[in-house]
Amino acid sequence: MSRQDYEIVMGLEVHAELSTKTKIFCSCPTEFGGEPNTHCCPICMAMPGTLPVLNEKVVEYAVKAGLATNCEISKNSKNDRKNYFYPDLPKAYQISQFDKPLCENGYVEIEDDNGEKKQIRLERIHIEEDAGKLNHNEFGGGSLVDLNRAGVPLIEIVSKPDLRTSSEVEKYLRKIKSILEYIEVSDCKMQEGSLRADVNVSVRKKGETKFGTRTEMKNMNSFRSIVRAIEYEANRQIDLIEEGGVVEQTTLRWDDVSGRTFSMRDKEDAQDYRYFPDPDLVAIRLSDEYIENIKNSLPELPESRKARYMDKFGLSEKDSKLLTSSKYLSDLFEGAEKICKNAKAVANWILSDISKMLNEKEMEADQIPFTAEDLAKVIELIDKGTISSAIAKRVVVELFENPRAPEVIIKENGWIQISDEGAIKEVVLKVLEANPQSVADYKGGKDKALGFLVGQAMKETKGKANPGMLNKMFLEELKK
């Protein structure tokens, strides 16, 4: 049988660090970085006699996430101990939620590979504490533990096995990331580990209803790596089945350099963790009023912004969808538009040159190194005729490479647009004299020759000539 005879079945467990100022059960700071073991205390180091106290903001943020993803909010939930050997959690267990999570039975909507709307069901969203970090020293022959991250609050968003392709997984993850950014419960900085996913993959022959044996790839924090890992693991399982082998339920590690998965351990089931209610923490009771107040405080979500951009600014559905796919891009658009009052120009710059630079540099939108004010200034300088669009493209590159005020970039590089009629006419006459064949082509009815001549003039002036004036003067001279 071929690869096309099989179907991939996937479910994800997305972990998002919450943007609270303090940890889930103590008052230690959650900020990223810092010298090892400087953001910890006797509670998150599990010293004897210490007691955890639940951070109320963690519950609020989890409920926000649940409401934004169409979940039912539980009025009665609790914290449980998940027993497992965690070398980077001093308690040797994790405080999580088992049978009574805060949020259940939600969904997010994506487009499948055919462009059709598809709901990805969410089984649950629960709160738990993050683990610390092991720093392995291959030369010293040991590992050192940094507990700064231990106790940082997480929500875990568990989907049903509704995903069927790697592109669906990427769309789903981007949608989750976008929602969490919009409601401001997590910064979702994947490069810092604020958003990561465990990907469960199984395969089955098309038409079958029974799920295959799944494997789980742990702690993945790159869209590109997740897509590559899914494709590799699915093909590995198919090849194994075709050769008469059996897929084993295993926890895997993805190696991005070799492009392969490696077994870490047998995959655990719930019973292996020996969950029981944490005796040091009281149950969580939420009132209808509490839930309603959080619901009313939710900010504008991507779908609503998309509709507003189409209605208020006259943007296409496609452009509006791309702009609102990331809160950072959407905020950049709104901030720049508010200053320069040119929505279509701002959208064009974000969706063309800025998006191109992000792709080339493999950066996320939250890593854009300049402000909405800088982008608005570039557009205003074009509108005033101070710089051409060609020069503006070079300014944007500079804003990525070495961000500073656009006016400073232009001044340093001598990029102010030439709008002096005498200087431009001199260039026009020089280009006409050097290209008699193009002149003859234009007069013979080949309109494209004009574009060539204008291009030569822009090249002569290093992109600084006013293109409108160039066109006008070339036409005047060619009609003589």
Side-chain angles (χ1 to χ4, degrees), residues 346-369:
V346 176
N348 286 339
W349 279 100
I350 291 174
L351 298 176
S352 56
D353 290 71
I354 292 173
S355 292
K356 180 184 174 185
M357 290 294 292
L358 289 174
N359 288 332
E360 287 178 357
K361 293 180 172 293
E362 295 185 357
M363 292 168 61
E364 292 297 322
D366 62 289
Q367 296 173 282
I368 292 174

PDB file of all heavy atoms in Angstrom, residues 346-369:
ATOM      1  N   VAL A 346      -0.495  51.041   4.896  1.00  0.00           N
ATOM      2  CA  VAL A 346       0.049  50.327   6.060  1.00  0.00           C
ATOM      3  C   VAL A 346      -0.113  48.824   5.863  1.00  0.00           C
ATOM      4  O   VAL A 346       0.822  48.041   6.070  1.00  0.00           O
ATOM      5  CB  VAL A 346      -0.652  50.768   7.366  1.00  0.00           C
ATOM      6  CG1 VAL A 346      -0.137  49.946   8.542  1.00  0.00           C
ATOM      7  CG2 VAL A 346      -0.418  52.251   7.638  1.00  0.00           C
ATOM      8  N   ALA A 347      -1.316  48.399   5.441  1.00  0.00           N
ATOM      9  CA  ALA A 347      -1.575  46.969   5.213  1.00  0.00           C
ATOM     10  C   ALA A 347      -0.629  46.414   4.145  1.00  0.00           C
ATOM     11  O   ALA A 347      -0.068  45.322   4.314  1.00  0.00           O
ATOM     12  CB  ALA A 347      -3.026  46.769   4.792  1.00  0.00           C
ATOM     13  N   ASN A 348      -0.433  47.163   3.064  1.00  0.00           N
ATOM     14  CA  ASN A 348       0.438  46.697   1.985  1.00  0.00           C
ATOM     15  C   ASN A 348       1.875  46.503   2.459  1.00  0.00           C
ATOM     16  O   ASN A 348       2.528  45.519   2.112  1.00  0.00           O
ATOM     17  CB  ASN A 348       0.408  47.682   0.812  1.00  0.00           C
ATOM     18  CG  ASN A 348      -0.892  47.608   0.025  1.00  0.00           C
ATOM     19  OD1 ASN A 348      -1.597  46.598   0.079  1.00  0.00           O
ATOM     20  ND2 ASN A 348      -1.234  48.670  -0.679  1.00  0.00           N
ATOM     21  N   TRP A 349       2.376  47.452   3.253  1.00  0.00           N
ATOM     22  CA  TRP A 349       3.753  47.343   3.740  1.00  0.00           C
ATOM     23  C   TRP A 349       3.915  46.160   4.694  1.00  0.00           C
ATOM     24  O   TRP A 349       4.895  45.427   4.643  1.00  0.00           O
ATOM     25  CB  TRP A 349       4.198  48.636   4.417  1.00  0.00           C
ATOM     26  CG  TRP A 349       4.628  49.667   3.418  1.00  0.00           C
ATOM     27  CD1 TRP A 349       3.915  50.730   2.951  1.00  0.00           C
ATOM     28  CD2 TRP A 349       5.886  49.715   2.720  1.00  0.00           C
ATOM     29  NE1 TRP A 349       4.637  51.426   2.007  1.00  0.00           N
ATOM     30  CE2 TRP A 349       5.850  50.832   1.858  1.00  0.00           C
ATOM     31  CE3 TRP A 349       7.031  48.929   2.755  1.00  0.00           C
ATOM     32  CZ2 TRP A 349       6.924  51.173   1.035  1.00  0.00           C
ATOM     33  CZ3 TRP A 349       8.104  49.267   1.931  1.00  0.00           C
ATOM     34  CH2 TRP A 349       8.041  50.375   1.084  1.00  0.00           C
ATOM     35  N   ILE A 350       2.925  45.958   5.566  1.00  0.00           N
ATOM     36  CA  ILE A 350       3.010  44.841   6.519  1.00  0.00           C
ATOM     37  C   ILE A 350       2.938  43.503   5.800  1.00  0.00           C
ATOM     38  O   ILE A 350       3.717  42.574   6.083  1.00  0.00           O
ATOM     39  CB  ILE A 350       1.891  44.940   7.578  1.00  0.00           C
ATOM     40  CG1 ILE A 350       2.139  46.146   8.501  1.00  0.00           C
ATOM     41  CG2 ILE A 350       1.809  43.656   8.409  1.00  0.00           C
ATOM     42  CD1 ILE A 350       1.019  46.411   9.491  1.00  0.00           C
ATOM     43  N   LEU A 351       2.019  43.391   4.833  1.00  0.00           N
ATOM     44  CA  LEU A 351       1.790  42.109   4.175  1.00  0.00           C
ATOM     45  C   LEU A 351       2.785  41.808   3.066  1.00  0.00           C
ATOM     46  O   LEU A 351       2.860  40.667   2.605  1.00  0.00           O
ATOM     47  CB  LEU A 351       0.361  42.060   3.622  1.00  0.00           C
ATOM     48  CG  LEU A 351      -0.748  42.163   4.684  1.00  0.00           C
ATOM     49  CD1 LEU A 351      -2.120  42.201   4.034  1.00  0.00           C
ATOM     50  CD2 LEU A 351      -0.659  41.001   5.675  1.00  0.00           C
ATOM     51  N   SER A 352       3.537  42.814   2.639  1.00  0.00           N
ATOM     52  CA  SER A 352       4.537  42.564   1.589  1.00  0.00           C
ATOM     53  C   SER A 352       5.943  42.583   2.185  1.00  0.00           C
ATOM     54  O   SER A 352       6.458  41.552   2.607  1.00  0.00           O
ATOM     55  CB  SER A 352       4.393  43.581   0.459  1.00  0.00           C
ATOM     56  OG  SER A 352       4.479  44.915   0.956  1.00  0.00           O
ATOM     57  N   ASP A 353       6.550  43.744   2.255  1.00  0.00           N
ATOM     58  CA  ASP A 353       7.967  43.834   2.639  1.00  0.00           C
ATOM     59  C   ASP A 353       8.248  43.350   4.061  1.00  0.00           C
ATOM     60  O   ASP A 353       9.237  42.649   4.305  1.00  0.00           O
ATOM     61  CB  ASP A 353       8.455  45.274   2.470  1.00  0.00           C
ATOM     62  CG  ASP A 353       8.546  45.673   1.014  1.00  0.00           C
ATOM     63  OD1 ASP A 353       7.488  45.843   0.384  1.00  0.00           O
ATOM     64  OD2 ASP A 353       9.663  45.785   0.490  1.00  0.00           O
ATOM     65  N   ILE A 354       7.384  43.728   5.010  1.00  0.00           N
ATOM     66  CA  ILE A 354       7.641  43.337   6.400  1.00  0.00           C
ATOM     67  C   ILE A 354       7.477  41.831   6.572  1.00  0.00           C
ATOM     68  O   ILE A 354       8.311  41.172   7.198  1.00  0.00           O
ATOM     69  CB  ILE A 354       6.725  44.129   7.366  1.00  0.00           C
ATOM     70  CG1 ILE A 354       7.147  45.601   7.362  1.00  0.00           C
ATOM     71  CG2 ILE A 354       6.765  43.557   8.774  1.00  0.00           C
ATOM     72  CD1 ILE A 354       6.234  46.527   8.135  1.00  0.00           C
ATOM     73  N   SER A 355       6.421  41.259   5.980  1.00  0.00           N
ATOM     74  CA  SER A 355       6.221  39.809   6.063  1.00  0.00           C
ATOM     75  C   SER A 355       7.353  39.058   5.360  1.00  0.00           C
ATOM     76  O   SER A 355       7.793  37.992   5.823  1.00  0.00           O
ATOM     77  CB  SER A 355       4.877  39.421   5.439  1.00  0.00           C
ATOM     78  OG  SER A 355       3.807  39.910   6.221  1.00  0.00           O
ATOM     79  N   LYS A 356       7.824  39.619   4.256  1.00  0.00           N
ATOM     80  CA  LYS A 356       8.940  38.996   3.531  1.00  0.00           C
ATOM     81  C   LYS A 356      10.196  38.953   4.404  1.00  0.00           C
ATOM     82  O   LYS A 356      10.887  37.933   4.468  1.00  0.00           O
ATOM     83  CB  LYS A 356       9.219  39.790   2.244  1.00  0.00           C
ATOM     84  CG  LYS A 356      10.369  39.230   1.414  1.00  0.00           C
ATOM     85  CD  LYS A 356      10.642  40.122   0.202  1.00  0.00           C
ATOM     86  CE  LYS A 356      11.878  39.637  -0.549  1.00  0.00           C
ATOM     87  NZ  LYS A 356      12.241  40.550  -1.646  1.00  0.00           N
ATOM     88  N   MET A 357      10.477  40.056   5.098  1.00  0.00           N
ATOM     89  CA  MET A 357      11.647  40.100   5.979  1.00  0.00           C
ATOM     90  C   MET A 357      11.502  39.112   7.136  1.00  0.00           C
ATOM     91  O   MET A 357      12.464  38.453   7.532  1.00  0.00           O
ATOM     92  CB  MET A 357      11.845  41.521   6.520  1.00  0.00           C
ATOM     93  CG  MET A 357      12.307  42.534   5.481  1.00  0.00           C
ATOM     94  SD  MET A 357      13.971  42.187   4.854  1.00  0.00           S
ATOM     95  CE  MET A 357      14.971  42.511   6.299  1.00  0.00           C
ATOM     96  N   LEU A 358      10.297  39.000   7.681  1.00  0.00           N
ATOM     97  CA  LEU A 358      10.066  38.045   8.776  1.00  0.00           C
ATOM     98  C   LEU A 358      10.336  36.619   8.311  1.00  0.00           C
ATOM     99  O   LEU A 358      10.958  35.830   9.030  1.00  0.00           O
ATOM    100  CB  LEU A 358       8.625  38.160   9.294  1.00  0.00           C
ATOM    101  CG  LEU A 358       8.266  39.422  10.077  1.00  0.00           C
ATOM    102  CD1 LEU A 358       6.772  39.456  10.380  1.00  0.00           C
ATOM    103  CD2 LEU A 358       9.058  39.516  11.374  1.00  0.00           C
ATOM    104  N   ASN A 359       9.874  36.289   7.095  1.00  0.00           N
ATOM    105  CA  ASN A 359      10.101  34.950   6.549  1.00  0.00           C
ATOM    106  C   ASN A 359      11.578  34.688   6.305  1.00  0.00           C
ATOM    107  O   ASN A 359      12.104  33.623   6.633  1.00  0.00           O
ATOM    108  CB  ASN A 359       9.318  34.757   5.247  1.00  0.00           C
ATOM    109  CG  ASN A 359       7.823  34.631   5.487  1.00  0.00           C
ATOM    110  OD1 ASN A 359       7.404  34.180   6.542  1.00  0.00           O
ATOM    111  ND2 ASN A 359       7.026  35.030   4.511  1.00  0.00           N
ATOM    112  N   GLU A 360      12.252  35.667   5.710  1.00  0.00           N
ATOM    113  CA  GLU A 360      13.675  35.502   5.400  1.00  0.00           C
ATOM    114  C   GLU A 360      14.513  35.317   6.660  1.00  0.00           C
ATOM    115  O   GLU A 360      15.470  34.554   6.676  1.00  0.00           O
ATOM    116  CB  GLU A 360      14.184  36.714   4.607  1.00  0.00           C
ATOM    117  CG  GLU A 360      13.698  36.754   3.167  1.00  0.00           C
ATOM    118  CD  GLU A 360      14.167  37.991   2.421  1.00  0.00           C
ATOM    119  OE1 GLU A 360      14.822  38.852   3.058  1.00  0.00           O
ATOM    120  OE2 GLU A 360      13.871  38.100   1.217  1.00  0.00           O
ATOM    121  N   LYS A 361      14.152  36.040   7.701  1.00  0.00           N
ATOM    122  CA  LYS A 361      14.926  35.985   8.942  1.00  0.00           C
ATOM    123  C   LYS A 361      14.398  34.938   9.917  1.00  0.00           C
ATOM    124  O   LYS A 361      14.929  34.790  11.024  1.00  0.00           O
ATOM    125  CB  LYS A 361      14.921  37.367   9.616  1.00  0.00           C
ATOM    126  CG  LYS A 361      15.686  38.423   8.831  1.00  0.00           C
ATOM    127  CD  LYS A 361      15.637  39.768   9.538  1.00  0.00           C
ATOM    128  CE  LYS A 361      16.548  40.764   8.852  1.00  0.00           C
ATOM    129  NZ  LYS A 361      17.979  40.404   8.994  1.00  0.00           N
ATOM    130  N   GLU A 362      13.317  34.218   9.503  1.00  0.00           N
ATOM    131  CA  GLU A 362      12.677  33.213  10.358  1.00  0.00           C
ATOM    132  C   GLU A 362      12.334  33.805  11.724  1.00  0.00           C
ATOM    133  O   GLU A 362      12.635  33.236  12.777  1.00  0.00           O
ATOM    134  CB  GLU A 362      13.574  31.969  10.500  1.00  0.00           C
ATOM    135  CG  GLU A 362      13.778  31.238   9.182  1.00  0.00           C
ATOM    136  CD  GLU A 362      14.555  29.937   9.341  1.00  0.00           C
ATOM    137  OE1 GLU A 362      14.978  29.642  10.478  1.00  0.00           O
ATOM    138  OE2 GLU A 362      14.738  29.232   8.343  1.00  0.00           O
ATOM    139  N   MET A 363      11.713  34.978  11.674  1.00  0.00           N
ATOM    140  CA  MET A 363      11.302  35.686  12.885  1.00  0.00           C
ATOM    141  C   MET A 363       9.786  35.632  13.028  1.00  0.00           C
ATOM    142  O   MET A 363       9.069  35.511  12.039  1.00  0.00           O
ATOM    143  CB  MET A 363      11.741  37.163  12.815  1.00  0.00           C
ATOM    144  CG  MET A 363      13.231  37.381  12.873  1.00  0.00           C
ATOM    145  SD  MET A 363      13.692  39.104  12.435  1.00  0.00           S
ATOM    146  CE  MET A 363      12.846  40.029  13.710  1.00  0.00           C
ATOM    147  N   GLU A 364       9.301  35.729  14.260  1.00  0.00           N
ATOM    148  CA  GLU A 364       7.877  35.868  14.525  1.00  0.00           C
ATOM    149  C   GLU A 364       7.542  37.348  14.615  1.00  0.00           C
ATOM    150  O   GLU A 364       8.421  38.197  14.819  1.00  0.00           O
ATOM    151  CB  GLU A 364       7.498  35.151  15.824  1.00  0.00           C
ATOM    152  CG  GLU A 364       7.624  33.633  15.752  1.00  0.00           C
ATOM    153  CD  GLU A 364       6.686  33.001  14.734  1.00  0.00           C
ATOM    154  OE1 GLU A 364       5.523  33.462  14.599  1.00  0.00           O
ATOM    155  OE2 GLU A 364       7.109  32.046  14.049  1.00  0.00           O
ATOM    156  N   ALA A 365       6.248  37.668  14.477  1.00  0.00           N
ATOM    157  CA  ALA A 365       5.822  39.076  14.461  1.00  0.00           C
ATOM    158  C   ALA A 365       6.189  39.815  15.741  1.00  0.00           C
ATOM    159  O   ALA A 365       6.475  41.018  15.715  1.00  0.00           O
ATOM    160  CB  ALA A 365       4.317  39.159  14.216  1.00  0.00           C
ATOM    161  N   ASP A 366       6.210  39.104  16.872  1.00  0.00           N
ATOM    162  CA  ASP A 366       6.540  39.766  18.136  1.00  0.00           C
ATOM    163  C   ASP A 366       8.009  40.176  18.216  1.00  0.00           C
ATOM    164  O   ASP A 366       8.411  40.889  19.135  1.00  0.00           O
ATOM    165  CB  ASP A 366       6.186  38.863  19.325  1.00  0.00           C
ATOM    166  CG  ASP A 366       6.974  37.564  19.321  1.00  0.00           C
ATOM    167  OD1 ASP A 366       6.699  36.717  18.463  1.00  0.00           O
ATOM    168  OD2 ASP A 366       7.861  37.402  20.177  1.00  0.00           O
ATOM    169  N   GLN A 367       8.813  39.739  17.235  1.00  0.00           N
ATOM    170  CA  GLN A 367      10.236  40.087  17.224  1.00  0.00           C
ATOM    171  C   GLN A 367      10.543  41.269  16.295  1.00  0.00           C
ATOM    172  O   GLN A 367      11.713  41.623  16.129  1.00  0.00           O
ATOM    173  CB  GLN A 367      11.061  38.871  16.792  1.00  0.00           C
ATOM    174  CG  GLN A 367      10.971  37.695  17.749  1.00  0.00           C
ATOM    175  CD  GLN A 367      11.658  36.449  17.209  1.00  0.00           C
ATOM    176  OE1 GLN A 367      11.123  35.736  16.350  1.00  0.00           O
ATOM    177  NE2 GLN A 367      12.849  36.174  17.687  1.00  0.00           N
ATOM    178  N   ILE A 368       9.518  41.873  15.696  1.00  0.00           N
ATOM    179  CA  ILE A 368       9.748  43.054  14.842  1.00  0.00           C
ATOM    180  C   ILE A 368      10.440  44.124  15.679  1.00  0.00           C
ATOM    181  O   ILE A 368       9.938  44.531  16.734  1.00  0.00           O
ATOM    182  CB  ILE A 368       8.418  43.582  14.265  1.00  0.00           C
ATOM    183  CG1 ILE A 368       7.832  42.577  13.269  1.00  0.00           C
ATOM    184  CG2 ILE A 368       8.617  44.936  13.585  1.00  0.00           C
ATOM    185  CD1 ILE A 368       6.448  42.927  12.754  1.00  0.00           C
ATOM    186  N   PRO A 369      11.608  44.615  15.233  1.00  0.00           N
ATOM    187  CA  PRO A 369      12.423  45.470  16.094  1.00  0.00           C
ATOM    188  C   PRO A 369      12.111  46.970  16.021  1.00  0.00           C
ATOM    189  O   PRO A 369      12.844  47.777  16.595  1.00  0.00           O
ATOM    190  CB  PRO A 369      13.842  45.195  15.590  1.00  0.00           C
ATOM    191  CG  PRO A 369      13.665  44.897  14.134  1.00  0.00           C
ATOM    192  CD  PRO A 369      12.323  44.215  14.005  1.00  0.00           C
TER     193      PRO A 369
END
